[in-house]
Amino acid sequence: MSVQQKSDVQWQKELSKQEFEVLRRKGTEARGGKYDKFYPKEGHFVCRGCKTPLYSANAKFNSGCGWPAFDKCYVDAVKTSIDMSAGMKRVEILCSACDGHLGHVFENEGMTETNERHCVNSVSVQYMKAPMEQDENRVL
């Protein structure tokens, strides 16, 4: 996927203040956002910034962390980057199409079969009711 190039001014016109802060400035929303305890049986989640499909509803699970959690993503929809901003090494997850900050991915917690937990900001994604048939996989 090619990265969508837009200026901060363009992004600010398209996103709410909070969406801009999280997606473009790598902020974190408070726990308990819109999709934290939302578990649809079908559908998928897209990037709030560019509408690229990222996660199936089936990939979402209850991790109890306070943010939406997914254990896999659509192939090539999410990319990673090392994040040292909190004084420790974490793996940031970003939309592959627009470089929007989604959150962080954690490994080896034993919560699901994939052993990954994508801890995603609710404001970084949008739920779509329509089913999406696309291959899914771990990001790490």
Side-chain angles (χ1 to χ4, degrees), residues 59-80:
K60 191 166 186 312
F61 71 99
N62 182 1
S63 70
C65 72
W67 289 270
F70 301 87
D71 70 345
K72 57 189 166 286
C73 56
Y74 292 130
V75 173
D76 297 327
V78 174
K79 65 183 181 179
T80 63

Side-chain angles (χ1 to χ4, degrees), residues 4-133:
Q4 293 185 12
Q5 300 294 328
K6 294 182 186 181
S7 69
D8 280 352
V9 172
Q10 288 173 301
W11 282 117
Q12 286 173 320
K13 287 179 183 176
E14 296 176 21
L15 302 170
S16 73
K17 188 174 180 177
Q18 185 182 31
E19 291 166 354
F20 180 81
E21 179 61 29
V22 173
L23 281 164
R24 308 314 311 166
R25 297 281 185 236
K26 303 179 187 290
T28 301
E29 72 177 329
R31 293 171 58 111
K34 179 178 182 176
Y35 298 123
D36 177 32
K37 296 185 188 304
F38 175 67
Y39 302 101
K41 299 266 190 246
E42 59 186 18
H44 65 286
F45 293 82
V46 299
C47 173
R48 175 82 62 178
C50 71
K51 307 303 184 236
T52 295
L54 301 172
Y55 300 103
S56 72
N58 291 331
K60 191 166 186 312
F61 71 99
N62 182 1
S63 70
C65 72
W67 289 270
F70 301 87
D71 70 345
K72 57 189 166 286
C73 56
Y74 292 130
V75 173
D76 297 327
V78 174
K79 65 183 181 179
T80 63
S81 177
I82 299 301
D83 175 8
M84 300 296 289
S85 66
M88 65 180 130
K89 182 179 176 182
R90 297 183 297 169
V91 180
E92 177 186 13
I93 46 177
L94 304 119
C95 172
S96 290
C98 73
D99 276 344
H101 173 75
L102 303 173
H104 293 86
V105 62
F106 302 94
E107 292 185 279
N108 302 318
E109 296 176 322
M111 293 184 181
T112 69
E113 216 173 90
T114 66
N115 233 349
E116 281 190 355
R117 175 174 56 95
H118 296 222
C119 187
V120 177
N121 291 286
S122 286
V123 299
S124 295
V125 295
Q126 181 177 4
Y127 173 69
M128 310 298 277
K129 287 184 181 180
M132 170 71 77
E133 293 300 322

